[in-house]
Amino acid sequence: MVSTTHGKAAVPLLRALSLSLVLQCVGLGLLTLAQLFIARLLGAAGFGVFSYAAACASAAITFGKFGTDTLMYRRGGQYFANQEWRRFLGLFHRSCVLLLRASLAACLGLGVFAWLIYRHKGDATLGAAIIVAALGVPIVASSSLRQAALITIGETAKGLLPENLVRTTLLIGGALALGAAGINAPLPAVALNVLTYLAALLLGQYWLDRSAIGRVQTGRDSSEQSQWDSAARGLLLFLGAYQIVAQFDLLLLGILSNKTSIGIYASARQIASLGMLALFTFQIVASARIASAYSAGDRRSFSRIVDAVALSGAAFTFAYALFILIAGSWVLRLFGAEFVAGRTVLLWLIGAQVVNAIVGPAGTVVAMLGLHRAATFVYLFTAAFGAALLLVLVPALGIDGAAIAVVVTTALWGIALNVLLYRRVGTTVWIGRIRRGESSG
């Protein structure tokens, strides 16, 4: 039976989770609507260019962030809980420096990749779209750090609003404006995407300057800078490996398939990604609390938070999967008649999301508990396995083969991370553990 103290402690978490879910639902719904307008504007081939450029940028952004947003959740959450304002400010300032260096390097690296793609495929439009998307790498990385800082200090709404409401609304407005002007080329759509992130960054910085941290008058304490740098490097490898797992299918399809196939696959991928909305949202909000509870030795709070995230996320994913099973073709048709060809891909990808929900928030818990170095090898191995499987299946099955590779890879890394957690800290996070009443600590 839960004590009154623990019941009261759970209220802020539940409020934060509820608020974040609403904002993420609205944000991801608006983003999907924006993607729908862009897909209908560009057609399958043009949307393939847009989506591939976005996927390349997403991979580069992970390296550009240098692990600073996750470091903010982990260390910043502890500093804020203990009211160590000077160390929080020191961490944020150092994170900005690391992020700027890494994001500029990632931007340059993506530019080189764009040139290689042009040389390989001879497609100037695709190469140019990747270059334009690369310009947004420092912008998106900086925006993510400010989101992490705001959420860490309890400003959940202000942390999520810039990217989930403001940016997506601007993207919809911009897509409609492009359509009204008769502009149906991929490059303007990619540029529009970058500009909306700039708006999110400016708003996030505005709110951060006026937050409790922004009003702190004390100086920065950077005495733990060497520890922050070391932790950031470890997180960079971990998150970079995770991003490779998350994007390997679309990145390889850009090399193996034509633009129309990429566009059809990307539309199914976008629809399927909605299935992880709740789990992804709850992980963002609960990350700092997971780290704080575990570092404080409060295993009961740690267990309660992980259980709430896993169960709530899984319930949403299962309900959404049922909806897609019934209405998947209709949803795809909203993007355009040619996108209905991706129905089988959509079913495979929503199956991957169900698997992801079953294995639970393993990646987030591993990162928050400081096990990211060991988990990096898990991600690298599964990414290599998934890439090899995709290279075998795509020539035989087309884009369906890529989706099958995603299902297998998702199951592999999810099981492996749960095994890692059990061996290192004596717990797992898959939803079957909760049913059996296994302790999370």
Side-chain angles (χ1 to χ4, degrees):
M1 190 170 185
V2 180
S3 67
T4 303
T5 301
H6 283 284
K8 290 180 178 179
V11 172
L13 174 63
L14 292 174
R15 287 176 178 170
L17 292 179
S18 300
L19 175 61
S20 63
L21 179 59
V22 170
L23 291 175
Q24 288 281 31
C25 280
V26 172
L28 198 48
L30 290 173
L31 178 60
T32 302
L33 187 60
Q35 299 262 0
L36 188 151
F37 286 143
I38 292 171
R40 295 184 69 90
L41 175 68
L42 303 180
F47 189 63
V49 172
F50 176 88
S51 299
Y52 190 68
C56 292
S58 180
I61 288 163
T62 298
F63 291 96
K65 289 190 293 188
F66 206 80
T68 54
D69 54 343
T70 303
L71 181 65
M72 179 60 64
Y73 287 126
R74 229 173 82 183
R75 292 292 185 89
Q78 297 172 20
Y79 297 151
F80 183 75
N82 297 328
Q83 297 187 346
E84 297 180 76
W85 313 119
R86 296 179 67 243
R87 283 187 176 174
F88 188 99
L89 291 173
L91 172 63
F92 181 77
H93 178 264
R94 183 57 182 171
S95 295
C96 289
V97 173
L98 294 173
L99 182 149
L100 179 61
R101 295 173 181 172
S103 61
L104 291 176
C107 180
L108 179 61
L110 189 53
V112 173
F113 178 75
W115 179 77
L116 293 174
I117 285 290
Y118 169 70
R119 291 290 301 272
H120 173 71
K121 299 180 74 74
D123 191 330
T125 300
L126 183 59
I130 296 173
I131 290 176
V132 173
L135 298 177
V137 170
I139 296 172
V140 182
S142 298
S143 179
S144 295
L145 177 60
R146 280 146 185 80
Q147 172 180 284
L150 285 165
I151 292 175
T152 298
I153 63 175
E155 298 280 2
T156 303
K158 292 180 179 179
L160 294 175
L161 276 174
E163 289 195 16
N164 287 274
L165 184 60
V166 176
R167 187 186 87 82
T168 50
T169 301
L170 290 174
L171 190 58
I172 290 173
L176 292 174
L178 289 177
I183 301 174
N184 58 357
L187 284 181
V190 175
L192 170 65
N193 196 39
V194 172
L195 290 175
T196 59
Y197 273 112
L198 177 60
L201 168 61
L202 295 175
L203 181 58
Q205 183 62 52
Y206 174 84
W207 275 336
L208 189 62
D209 288 341
R210 284 154 182 78
S211 68
I213 292 299
R215 294 192 295 270
V216 173
Q217 300 298 317
T218 59
R220 298 188 300 265
D221 179 358
S222 299
S223 59
E224 297 185 358
Q225 178 175 309
S226 61
Q227 298 177 32
W228 298 335
D229 291 357
S230 177
R233 284 191 293 269
L235 288 168
L236 170 64
L237 294 175
F238 167 71
L239 295 170
Y242 171 76
Q243 188 62 213
I244 292 173
V245 172
Q247 298 286 351
F248 81 93
D249 55 335
L250 201 51
L251 293 176
L252 286 178
L253 276 180
I255 299 173
L256 299 174
S257 299
N258 57 59
K259 292 184 287 189
T260 299
S261 296
I262 298 169
I264 292 172
Y265 185 90
S267 65
R269 201 172 186 266
Q270 175 63 32
I271 296 168
S273 69
L274 293 173
M276 288 301 294
L277 172 63
L279 185 59
F280 175 73
T281 302
F282 295 161
Q283 287 179 116
I284 290 178
V285 177
S287 291
R289 292 173 171 86
I290 290 172
S292 297
Y294 188 81
S295 64
D298 188 352
R299 299 303 178 87
R300 176 185 274 186
S301 293
F302 171 81
S303 177
R304 186 182 62 249
I305 295 168
V306 171
D307 291 353
V309 170
L311 282 176
S312 302
F316 181 92
T317 301
F318 295 159
Y320 183 73
L322 180 61
F323 167 74
I324 290 300
L325 187 63
I326 297 171
S329 295
W330 178 81
V331 176
L332 281 168
R333 191 175 296 278
L334 294 175
F335 284 75
E338 56 190 328
F339 291 94
V340 179
R343 183 178 185 276
T344 304
V345 170
L346 176 58
L347 294 179
W348 278 111
L349 292 178
I350 200 65
Q353 303 294 26
V354 169
V355 171
N356 211 342
I358 291 172
V359 299
T364 295
V365 174
V366 162
M368 293 302 104
L369 269 55
L371 303 176
H372 49 278
R373 294 183 187 276
T376 299
F377 294 101
V378 172
Y379 284 134
L380 289 176
F381 171 77
T382 52
F385 178 85
L389 186 60
L390 185 145
L391 291 173
V392 171
L393 294 179
V394 167
L397 302 175
I399 56 178
D400 291 349
I404 294 171
V406 170
V407 176
V408 175
T409 304
T410 301
L412 186 60
W413 69 254
I415 293 171
L417 288 182
N418 272 281
V419 171
L420 172 65
L421 283 169
Y422 185 76
R423 288 182 174 179
R424 294 294 183 89
V425 296
T427 187
T428 60
V429 295
W430 79 292
I431 60 173
R433 172 195 63 80
I434 303 171
R435 181 178 57 82
R436 297 199 317 270
E438 177 188 323
S439 170
S440 282

